Amino acid sequence: MTLLVVGSLAFDSVETPFGKRDKVLGGSANFFSVSASLLTKVNLVGVVGEDFPEEQLTYLKSRNVDVAGVDRVAGKTFHWSGKYNFDLNEAHTLDTQLNVFADFKPVLPAGFRKPDHLFLANIDPELQYAVLDQVERPKLVALDTMNYWISGKREALLKVLKRVDLLFVNDAEARQLSGEHNVVKAGAAIRKMGPRTVIIKRGEYGALMLEQGHAFYAPAYPLEDVFDPTGAGDTFAGGVMGSLDRWGGFNPATARQAMVVGGVMASFVVEDFSFDRIRKISLDDVQARYGELRRFTDFKDLPTQE
Ligand code: AMP
């Protein structure tokens, strides 16, 4: 099957209680692609400036990512600066410089227009909408967004959400989008906006999937050392979408498996800054952690009362 992602390729400047890195590689579509490409072929659409290292595109190509949809234009690459305090579940944005994204109009290469699965990674919802207009209806359209767009481009976001099957948000974003504090109520309110399935990412506590008549909670892999959570959400989504593209269409069983694969992928990326850890792992590592997580969470029914 084919998986298409459209989103940001970025430089990130990140500070956590454990260290600091200036202008390392990041971006929603970049993390997504590195993760999903362990499982399936990925077609990537985005934009970079003159300063973006060619080696990262070469590296993506070496992982079966088709970068024909990555435009290199005059100007600087998107730059996000963020900070995490001891609560690593909450990113504080210090600065967002859209740079080449400010004038970006995604144009999909002809070969990218019939994806089975489409992931509209975190970018301007108007651009996400423009991408939907260029593809034949995929089997599944998924979207990710963040507080920056929920408050800054709410109308455009509500418009694109009507055409989305699966929404990825974290709990703060779910609350902000829905106006509901309780995440289950927030999920129900968001489902009325369009997506039939909502996945609420809860950082170190795992992720909750909500849909009509079905819910699933995937625990996070219990890690001792979390170094930098940047990219965890996109890496999680890459695991979910890569798993669906590789192992079957969306149904409750494949979706549950995909959620756990997503959580396992995310558990690797947070172990170091940027791509430093995830670029070293193989599908065998994913399978090993998947098995461990299954054993961590396996429990029997209670005996019936006599
Ligand atoms: P997450 O997976 O949620 O931690 O996403 C982190 C990535 O999102 C970083 O690598 C950033 O470069 C990227 N990012 C942050 N803000 C934006 C934005 N407004 N639009 C697109 N990408 C962003």
Side-chain angles (χ1 to χ4, degrees), residues 7-12 14 24-31 78-81 84 91 93 95-96 98 101 121-124 144-149 170 173 201 229-236 275:
S8 59
L9 293 123
F11 286 122
D12 292 342
V14 182
V24 289
L25 288 168
S28 55
N30 209 2
F31 280 112
F78 176 88
H79 187 181
W80 176 77
S81 307
Y84 302 83
T93 295
D95 190 27
T96 301
L98 291 178
F101 256 105
N122 174 28
I123 44 168
D124 185 332
D144 189 11
T145 192
M146 70 183 295
N147 51 7
Y148 187 82
W149 307 114
N170 66 29
E173 293 155 357
K201 298 168 286 178
T230 311
D234 306 304
T235 305
F236 171 84
F275 297 95

Side-chain angles (χ1 to χ4, degrees), residues 38-39 264 268 281-292:
L38 264 182
L39 300 159
V264 168
F268 286 109
I281 65 160
S282 68
L283 198 48
D284 286 345
D285 299 315
V286 175
Q287 265 161 339
R289 254 188 203 183
Y290 186 100
E292 271 183 81

Side-chain angles (χ1 to χ4, degrees), residues 32-50:
F32 179 93
S33 299
V34 170
S35 168
S37 61
L38 264 182
L39 300 159
T40 194
K41 183 176 182 311
V42 178
N43 291 339
L44 167 62
V45 173
V47 64
V48 297
E50 290 147 329

Side-chain angles (χ1 to χ4, degrees), residues 100-158:
V100 293
F101 256 105
D103 301 313
F104 180 54
K105 300 271 173 295
V107 178
L108 271 48
F112 283 18
R113 292 176 184 234
K114 289 185 187 174
D116 293 292
H117 296 103
L118 169 60
F119 184 66
L120 299 165
N122 174 28
I123 44 168
D124 185 332
E126 286 178 24
L127 301 185
Q128 294 175 319
Y129 195 93
V131 170
L132 272 178
D133 277 343
Q134 294 175 48
V135 291
E136 262 183 38
R137 182 71 172 93
K139 291 194 178 80
L140 187 88
V141 176
L143 181 142
D144 189 11
T145 192
M146 70 183 295
N147 51 7
Y148 187 82
W149 307 114
I150 298 172
S151 54
K153 290 261 178 122
R154 190 176 174 87
E155 285 314 310
L157 179 61
L158 292 177

